[in-house]
Amino acid sequence: MPTATNIDLSSEYKTEELANNIQKKIKIGDVLYLYGEMGVGKTTFVKYLINKFQKENKINQTEVTSPTFNILNEYQIKKFKINHYDLFRLKKIEELKNLNLFEDNSNIITLIEWPQIIKKKPKNLIEISFEYKDDYKKRSVNIKGLDL
């Protein structure tokens, strides 16, 4: 069973480095829950993670933005897809039903910002909690479900 890992993210370079390290370890079918306050670096991490997959697969790197308003952004990476969800605006568990979050994810890597509304944890779950330290001057991340 993987242990929890706490990592300093006091610079954007360290966020990119973390995304690169995680990209090497995750596999198709994995689900990543991304916790943390607004502005703490969840979407920046996702951008570096998706761009690393695109670069590795010789696909043009795209702009990766938060899907706060449309809830889902999809990225086709050759033979698999990355689904990036932002559930911030959802208030009721019933709103999850039409999203098919965990239906047949055999060909998908799923990234979910603001997953607190989800009650049942899926298989292949990696939980990443971003947090501020020292009066918002520094950030760190705690990872459960993946050894780095």
Side-chain angles (χ1 to χ4, degrees), residues 122-145:
K123 295 178 184 176
N124 303 325
L125 178 62
I126 299 163
E127 295 179 284
I128 305 175
S129 299
F130 294 81
E131 58 183 20
Y132 287 111
K133 300 281 189 193
D134 300 331
D135 299 323
Y136 299 101
K137 293 177 185 160
K138 293 183 179 181
R139 294 174 293 122
S140 70
V141 67
N142 190 319
I143 302 167
K144 283 193 256 178

Side-chain angles (χ1 to χ4, degrees), residues 53-116:
F53 273 112
Q54 290 170 329
K55 184 177 181 181
E56 189 175 86
N57 285 278
K58 297 176 177 48
I59 298 170
N60 287 336
Q61 293 183 22
T62 58
E63 183 178 354
V64 175
T65 58
S66 175
T68 301
F69 294 104
N70 53 346
I71 300 177
L72 169 64
N73 288 340
E74 298 177 321
Y75 301 88
Q76 190 65 47
I77 311 288
K78 298 228 174 170
K79 295 180 180 179
F80 71 96
K81 186 168 56 167
I82 298 175
N83 283 347
H84 176 205
Y85 294 91
D86 185 325
L87 306 182
F88 179 75
R89 294 185 312 123
L90 302 186
K91 302 300 176 214
K92 297 178 183 169
I93 199 159
E94 295 79 30
E95 295 176 280
L96 293 173
K97 288 180 184 170
N98 293 332
L99 295 179
N100 298 324
L101 288 171
F102 310 119
E103 308 276 325
D104 187 25
N105 64 352
S106 60
N107 207 28
I108 299 171
I109 293 173
T110 304
L111 312 174
I112 303 175
E113 294 187 46
W114 304 96
Q116 292 86 332

Side-chain angles (χ1 to χ4, degrees), residues 2-9 18 22 32-36 40 42 45 125-133 139-148:
T3 57
T5 306
N6 194 321
I7 299 169
D8 172 57
L9 285 186
L18 173 68
I22 288 178
L32 282 70
Y33 280 6
L34 307 170
Y35 300 95
V40 77
K42 297 180 301 292
F45 166 80
L125 178 62
I126 299 163
E127 295 179 284
I128 305 175
S129 299
F130 294 81
E131 58 183 20
Y132 287 111
K133 300 281 189 193
R139 294 174 293 122
S140 70
V141 67
N142 190 319
I143 302 167
K144 283 193 256 178
L146 185 70
D147 285 329
L148 292 180

